[in-house]
Amino acid sequence: MGLFLLILVGYFFIFTGSVFGKSYLFEVPVWEKGCLSLSFSILLDSVSMIFVGTVLLISGSVATYCKWYMAEELYYNRFMKLVWLFVMSMMLMILVPNLVMLLIGWDGLGLTSFLLVAYYQNNKSLSAAMLTALTNRIGDVFVLFSVSIFLSEGSWLIYTYHPVQTWVNLGFVVVFAGMTKSAQMPFCAWLPAAMAAPTPVSSLVHSSTLVTAGVYLVLRSFYIVSSDPFAMQMLMFLSLFTLVLAGSSAVFAFDLKKVIALSTLSQLSLMMFSISIFLPFVSFFHLVTHAVFKALLFLGAGGLIHMNQSIQDVRSLSSLWQKLPVSMGAMSVAIVSLSGAPFMSGFFSKDLIIELSMMDSSVTYGCYLLELLGLTFTSFYSARIVFSVMLGSNYTNNNILRAHEHWYMQAPFLSLGMGAVLLGSVLSSKVEVFSLLVVLESWEMLMIFLIPFVGLSLWWKLLSSLASNPWLLVKTSGFFMSMWFMESLTSHPVKTSFFKGSGVVFQTLDQGWLELLGPQGVYVGLAKISYANEIIQKNYFTYQLVMWGLVMSGALVLTIFM
């Protein structure tokens, strides 16, 4: 009952925030020293209320889902405490505009995400958790740089704040801090690796909250970021590169959760791209709609994985419509919204970004083509999931005609499915900044309309090519499945350098000078002393006889000659 009320409160905050036209800043002084002061601040406006409602909606749905998915876990209570601690950290990050106090929520997200990813306590989970934590620590360092820059500003407020002075590197630092949390290039390797976490964690943490925290920080600090043209150009280039990289890698991935994670990465890149072309509110619109339907997609995928002996390979999943009709229906709603089908939530936000980017004269034709190419891949891997997992026949042993889908599984599908269908239209009609006039030429509208069909035709073309030449998949899959070797180029060199550095330290210090001057040196010295003492003790009587013989001989000689 409590979780149901939490879902209703989430929808209440979303709809209240959509008509909320004022901003309130509450401050409580914490510390004052000279000209510096520190206070605990809470910012209430339409953006924060809508995002808080989205987090409450998704967390309530995921917590209800966990009652079925994690019911057999021995440490279920510990797991749920970590989930609620993560939600509290996310709330602090959303509501607190103070840069110093924001660090509590920012660090809390990194700590709890590390513990949730490492929940299963195996080598894969631990390595993924370490990669996630270390990458997020880089973002923490950039936030600390921002704090040091703000020392001369006279205020710690960063959300919707116009700086008094123009700081050259502040926008660059904030952008890089957001890129680490949102897994943009070159920090894109940790998000697919974090899929080692339980599926409810992936639904809450890695689709709608943690990964969007970076986007939220950048768009709320838009006045600071937009004053740095170099940071905006860099953000545009890296976001488009990540968009194409993630989409093309999702086409060739076989792990279902990794496909959805790469889909999340491509949509995050689209949000960052919209910020780089000075559309922060449109980016937030897509952030909210994407969070709802992507959480729904993860929960549907978790249900079919749980019902199929934890199999995640799409080649081993087929014809699941008859086995899991409710889960497949929820996944279908999420996939249709992800593809931007008309009248779904994703249509109102995703197409708005495409149309406004085409109206922007600062965006070159090369950027248009990269954006359309990356979005075409969305329809490509969406069609692959539908025709392979739901409708296909992959010659697998499916001995169950119909599985029981618990109420704790179906209730989150209903709560999130309503948002995936209705949220976009409601927000676009209620929030003024989401209702923008778009004027495009006919050929531009035709290009946008043909994006899903181009993706479907590419998928069909790839199937026919693989049927005639199966070696094509072998030759190209390695490049795309490794995310264009970005995993090797970004995460592996850092880990390798740490391992090599620790090996050098181990050989030179632990096995070198410290051993020579410490216990090993003492051992060798005592061994030499002991050996000498042993020799002396062993030959003691021989030395005594020789000495006494010499003494007696000398005395005898003296007696004879005297």
Side-chain angles (χ1 to χ4, degrees):
M1 188 64 181
L3 296 177
F4 178 71
L5 290 176
L6 186 64
I7 294 172
L8 292 181
V9 170
Y11 273 117
F12 174 78
F13 269 90
I14 292 174
F15 294 126
T16 304
S18 63
V19 297
F20 196 73
K22 298 181 180 180
S23 297
Y24 295 97
L25 179 63
F26 303 95
E27 284 191 325
V28 178
V30 177
W31 174 80
E32 291 185 5
K33 183 68 174 179
C35 61
L36 288 178
S37 63
L38 185 61
S39 60
F40 182 79
S41 309
I42 293 179
L43 178 63
L44 283 180
D45 59 354
S46 60
V47 174
S48 61
M49 291 185 69
I50 291 174
F51 200 21
V52 165
T54 305
V55 173
L56 291 178
L57 168 63
I58 296 173
S59 59
S61 302
V62 170
T64 305
Y65 186 83
C66 287
K67 288 187 175 182
W68 166 77
Y69 192 91
M70 308 291 289
E72 298 179 359
E73 288 293 327
L74 181 62
Y75 302 107
Y76 172 78
N77 292 328
R78 179 193 300 176
F79 174 79
M80 292 308 300
K81 289 178 182 177
L82 289 175
V83 170
W84 293 122
L85 183 61
F86 176 85
V87 173
M88 290 175 58
S89 301
M90 193 68 197
M91 292 295 181
L92 282 175
M93 196 263 165
I94 294 171
L95 295 173
V96 177
N98 189 305
L99 191 58
V100 178
M101 292 296 178
L102 181 142
L103 274 172
I104 301 175
W106 188 269
D107 276 345
L109 291 176
L111 175 62
T112 52
S113 64
F114 168 78
L115 296 175
L116 288 171
V117 173
Y119 176 77
Y120 282 139
Q121 299 181 7
N122 51 44
N123 292 334
K124 182 181 178 181
S125 299
L126 181 59
S127 61
M130 287 299 297
L131 180 59
T132 302
L134 292 176
T135 306
N136 286 313
R137 294 310 292 177
I138 298 175
D140 299 342
V141 171
F142 281 112
V143 173
L144 290 174
F145 282 159
S146 303
V147 172
S148 64
I149 294 174
F150 261 75
L151 280 173
S152 303
E153 187 65 29
S155 174
W156 301 106
L157 299 179
I158 190 171
Y159 287 177
T160 64
Y161 176 70
H162 295 269
V164 178
Q165 307 179 49
T166 302
W167 301 98
V168 178
N169 298 320
L170 183 57
F172 177 82
V173 169
V174 173
V175 166
F176 256 85
M179 288 171 60
T180 56
K181 273 286 193 288
S182 296
Q184 298 299 293
M185 171 67 194
F187 310 108
C188 55
W190 72 265
L191 182 56
M195 292 302 105
T199 303
V201 174
S202 301
S203 177
L204 175 65
V205 177
H206 303 124
S207 68
S208 54
T209 50
L210 175 67
V211 292
T212 58
V215 178
Y216 185 79
L217 175 67
V218 175
L219 69 88
R220 293 292 269 182
S221 311
F222 181 72
Y223 295 117
I224 295 173
V225 174
S226 60
S227 61
D228 191 345
F230 173 74
M232 299 296 281
Q233 290 292 325
M234 179 195 66
L235 183 62
M236 179 188 295
F237 172 75
L238 293 179
S239 61
L240 287 175
F241 184 86
T242 311
L243 176 64
V244 178
L245 182 149
S248 59
S249 300
V251 169
F252 289 88
F254 295 117
D255 191 324
L256 180 59
K257 288 180 65 175
K258 187 174 182 179
V259 172
I260 303 176
L262 292 171
S263 169
T264 302
L265 185 56
S266 67
Q267 300 303 309
L268 292 171
S269 305
L270 187 61
M271 300 173 202
M272 285 293 194
F273 173 71
S274 63
I275 295 176
S276 67
I277 57 176
F278 297 87
L279 298 172
F281 289 105
V282 180
S283 173
F284 177 71
F285 186 21
H286 190 54
L287 184 151
V288 174
T289 57
H290 168 265
V292 175
F293 66 70
K294 189 53 67 69
L296 177 62
L297 182 58
F298 259 116
L299 293 184
L304 68 91
I305 292 172
H306 195 72
M307 293 287 191
N308 287 276
Q309 295 82 39
S310 300
I311 296 175
Q312 298 181 196
D313 196 327
V314 296
R315 296 168 295 183
S316 301
L317 300 170
S318 65
S319 302
L320 294 178
W321 265 111
Q322 58 184 355
K323 182 179 179 180
L324 301 167
V326 179
S327 299
M328 294 302 100
M331 286 187 66
S332 299
V333 171
I335 288 173
V336 171
S337 185
L338 172 64
S339 301
F343 311 114
M344 303 294 285
S345 291
F347 167 77
F348 291 94
S349 59
K350 186 177 178 181
D351 279 26
L352 188 60
I353 295 175
I354 303 172
E355 293 164 357
L356 292 176
S357 65
M358 287 187 169
M359 291 176 59
D360 194 340
S361 59
S362 63
V363 181
T364 62
Y365 285 104
C367 294
Y368 291 152
L369 294 177
L370 288 177
E371 180 188 8
L372 294 178
L373 178 62
L375 294 175
T376 301
F377 287 129
T378 304
S379 303
F380 193 113
Y381 56 72
S382 298
R384 182 177 173 223
I385 293 176
V386 171
F387 290 105
S388 178
V389 176
M390 300 182 186
L391 304 175
S393 56
N394 292 334
Y395 303 102
T396 57
N397 184 16
N398 191 1
N399 53 5
I400 301 177
L401 295 179
R402 176 72 186 271
H404 174 66
E405 296 174 280
H406 198 276
W407 182 86
Y408 286 142
M409 183 182 180
Q410 298 183 31
F413 292 161
L414 178 61
S415 61
L416 293 174
M418 291 173 55
V421 175
L422 301 174
L423 195 59
S425 60
V426 172
L427 290 180
S428 63
S429 61
K430 296 291 185 181
V431 184
E432 183 179 357
V433 292
F434 297 161
S435 303
L436 300 174
L437 180 63
V438 178
V439 180
L440 294 176
E441 296 184 10
S442 57
W443 67 270
E444 293 174 329
M445 293 297 296
L446 182 62
M447 287 179 62
I448 298 173
F449 178 76
L450 290 177
I451 287 177
F453 300 100
V454 172
L456 289 173
S457 61
L458 287 176
W459 176 77
W460 187 262
K461 179 66 176 176
L462 181 62
L463 283 183
S464 59
S465 299
L466 293 178
S468 60
N469 186 11
W471 285 104
L472 179 64
L473 180 63
V474 178
K475 294 178 182 178
T476 58
S477 60
F479 174 74
F480 289 104
M481 291 177 66
S482 63
M483 298 177 63
W484 298 10
F485 302 122
M486 281 297 115
E487 295 178 353
S488 302
L489 295 175
T490 56
S491 62
H492 293 178
V494 177
K495 293 188 290 187
T496 303
S497 61
F498 274 116
F499 277 120
K500 289 184 177 180
S502 62
V504 172
V505 171
F506 177 71
Q507 291 179 357
T508 56
L509 292 180
D510 289 356
Q511 292 185 338
W513 290 102
L514 292 180
E515 286 290 340
L516 183 62
L517 299 177
Q520 194 68 28
V522 173
Y523 169 75
V524 173
L526 291 177
K528 291 181 178 180
I529 295 173
S530 176
Y531 180 74
N533 182 51
E534 181 184 356
I535 296 299
I536 293 173
Q537 293 291 336
K538 183 185 296 183
N539 299 319
Y540 175 76
F541 293 105
T542 304
Y543 291 150
Q544 289 290 329
L545 290 175
V546 171
M547 292 298 295
W548 280 109
L550 292 175
V551 171
M552 294 299 294
S553 300
L556 182 61
V557 170
L558 290 175
T559 304
I560 294 173
F561 288 100
M562 292 296 293

